[in-house]
Amino acid sequence: MFNPPTLEDLQETRRANEKLVLKALESKPEWVETELAKTTGLALSHLRAALASLLDQGRVRRLPGTGTRAVYGLADPGLADVPATPLTEDAKRVRDYLEGRADSALYMSEQLRMTRDDVMAALSLLNAHGMITCTFVGSLVIFRLKEAQALGQEQAAPAPATGKKKQVA
């Protein structure tokens, strides 16, 4: 009798496939999708599922290719590997700034009147807490809060029920 795989089984397989893909990507800077499939031994559908997850996590980025060839490489948003210590005031400012928007570190530093290094340190700490994601637009890195984090903050601090309508600017 055939037992279909459970959601846990599928997630475990995807995580194992992600490890294979990351190991291959560490060996050279750029990989064409078909070469990556051959090297890892993964079916193209499994490779694409792993790549989609890694892209979403900000660990892999799609690079400019020629024609329709998909090219991938490791993503490096420039964040330091720091422990998940309590959030600093700078990290809280950056987190609050990112609520409902996405932005680059340079623009955030201008808007928040902080140095770029301070913004990157705050982003590194937020990343250690699993609160942000990044997207690559060419060589520009765009940071945003993870949706679960933004939703969690909204639920944690509900708007006070005053009976008055919110004034919209």
Side-chain angles (χ1 to χ4, degrees):
M1 184 167 161
F2 174 72
N3 289 328
T6 64
L7 184 58
E8 271 184 31
D9 293 338
L10 294 173
Q11 289 173 338
E12 189 177 316
T13 300
R14 182 187 40 79
R15 282 191 294 271
N17 291 347
E18 287 174 7
K19 287 179 183 176
L20 287 171
V21 171
L22 287 172
K23 187 174 180 182
L25 288 173
E26 289 170 358
S27 67
K28 74 179 195 182
E30 294 183 4
W31 283 86
V32 174
E33 189 179 58
T34 51
E35 291 174 354
L36 198 51
K38 286 178 190 170
T39 301
T40 59
L42 295 173
L44 210 48
S45 60
H46 290 223
L47 173 70
R48 286 180 176 154
L51 284 169
S53 177
L54 291 167
L55 284 164
D56 192 44
Q57 295 171 42
R59 298 176 73 186
V60 170
R61 64 186 276 196
R62 186 165 176 171
L63 304 167
T66 55
T68 59
R69 292 172 48 144
V71 179
Y72 295 92
L74 287 177
D76 181 13
L79 298 175
D81 189 18
V82 298
T85 57
L87 294 183
T88 61
E89 286 304 313
D90 284 349
K92 290 175 184 176
R93 283 182 65 200
V94 170
R95 180 198 61 201
D96 293 344
Y97 175 82
L98 285 174
E99 281 187 29
R101 74 174 69 140
D103 223 330
S104 69
L106 182 60
Y107 194 71
M108 274 188 265
S109 68
E110 291 171 5
Q111 295 302 305
L112 295 171
R113 290 182 167 59
M114 295 169 62
T115 66
R116 187 175 186 284
D117 288 342
D118 288 343
V119 169
M120 291 303 289
L123 287 167
S124 296
L125 184 54
L126 292 171
N127 186 52
H129 283 275
M131 299 175 78
I132 60 170
T133 63
C134 60
T135 306
F136 293 86
V137 180
S139 61
L140 186 65
V141 184
I142 304 295
F143 298 93
R144 68 177 37 89
L145 285 180
K146 285 186 176 176
E147 288 191 30
Q149 294 297 322
L151 292 174
Q153 286 181 349
E154 289 171 11
Q155 291 169 353
T162 59
K164 294 180 181 177
K165 288 187 177 180
K166 248 188 189 176
Q167 197 171 15
V168 179

